[in-house]
Amino acid sequence: MASAFAHALLAVAISKTSSSKNQLLKFSLLAMFCAVIPDADVVMFKFGVPYEHFLGHRGFSHSLVFALLLGILVTKVFYRDIPLQSRQGLFLVLIFFLCTASHSLLDAMTTGGRGVAVFSPFDNTRYFLPWRPIKVSPIGIKQFFGPKGLAVIKSELVWVGIPSVAYVAFIWLVKKLTNR
């Protein structure tokens, strides 16, 4: 998996798409939550659930169906005043869906693991992208702080950090040009 830092950074970049400054902190925190929560499935190891299982690591919680359901749930719970079918409601669902789905994209670009069940529950096959430049992050905080974790952070700075900063700069420029 990519580290929680990379998932959160990409979500913050995606959340910058919003033009609502008064809700930006709430929006960004929810975006980060959506991007990081798929890895909560690692608790299944504690219950003896194998990696390859539907509920195993990189299983259903890493799927596009899960991303859509979470996007809807987060919008319904945290933006109750906004009708889900409205333009703003659909925008929120889309952003939270993208933040959650970005988790699977980053994990599918890592050098380790057994792939991502992107199409679960319809297909539990685990997939990787053909291009996998991000070093896989070790599971657990102890293993992360050391040479292996440093290598992960370096690869994430190149493959997630730089594109995220470029995206935020692009969004800023677009907003500046359209506000004239």
Side-chain angles (χ1 to χ4, degrees):
M1 70 182 153
S3 76
F5 303 114
H7 291 303
L9 177 63
L10 184 55
V12 168
I14 293 169
S15 74
K16 296 296 181 184
T17 305
S18 173
S19 59
S20 174
K21 290 183 179 168
N22 61 341
Q23 294 272 333
L24 190 58
L25 179 61
K26 173 183 173 182
F27 188 62
S28 294
L29 289 172
L30 289 169
M32 286 189 286
F33 169 80
C34 288
V36 173
I37 199 64
D39 274 340
D41 64 7
V42 297
V43 303
M44 300 310 281
F45 288 133
K46 300 274 187 208
F47 297 106
V49 175
Y51 196 107
E52 305 79 20
H53 189 274
F54 167 78
L55 294 174
H57 186 49
R58 291 186 174 181
F60 178 70
S61 69
H62 285 62
S63 71
L64 295 175
V65 171
F66 178 84
L68 179 60
L69 293 174
L70 186 62
I72 292 168
L73 179 67
V74 167
T75 302
K76 291 284 279 173
V77 170
F78 293 96
Y79 294 92
R80 283 181 226 144
D81 297 341
I82 299 172
L84 198 57
Q85 306 85 344
S86 70
R87 186 173 181 202
Q88 190 177 10
L90 291 173
F91 174 78
L92 289 168
V93 170
L94 175 66
I95 293 298
F96 295 134
F97 164 80
L98 290 173
C99 289
T100 309
S102 73
H103 187 108
S104 302
L105 175 68
L106 291 182
D107 279 5
M109 293 173 64
T110 63
T111 58
R114 298 182 185 155
V116 182
V118 180
F119 303 111
S120 181
F122 309 108
D123 175 14
N124 203 38
T125 305
R126 307 301 173 99
Y127 297 94
F128 278 113
L129 290 175
W131 182 58
R132 297 167 52 191
I134 300 172
K135 298 219 180 292
V136 70
S137 179
I139 296 175
I141 291 177
K142 281 185 185 177
Q143 295 90 346
F144 187 77
F145 291 103
K148 197 171 186 182
L150 185 58
V152 169
I153 293 295
K154 284 180 184 177
S155 76
E156 290 177 347
L157 281 172
V158 170
W159 300 110
V160 182
I162 292 171
S164 293
V165 169
Y167 177 77
V168 170
F170 173 76
I171 292 297
W172 176 82
L173 182 62
V174 168
K175 287 180 181 180
K176 189 158 183 77
L177 292 174
T178 57
N179 282 339
R180 287 187 174 188

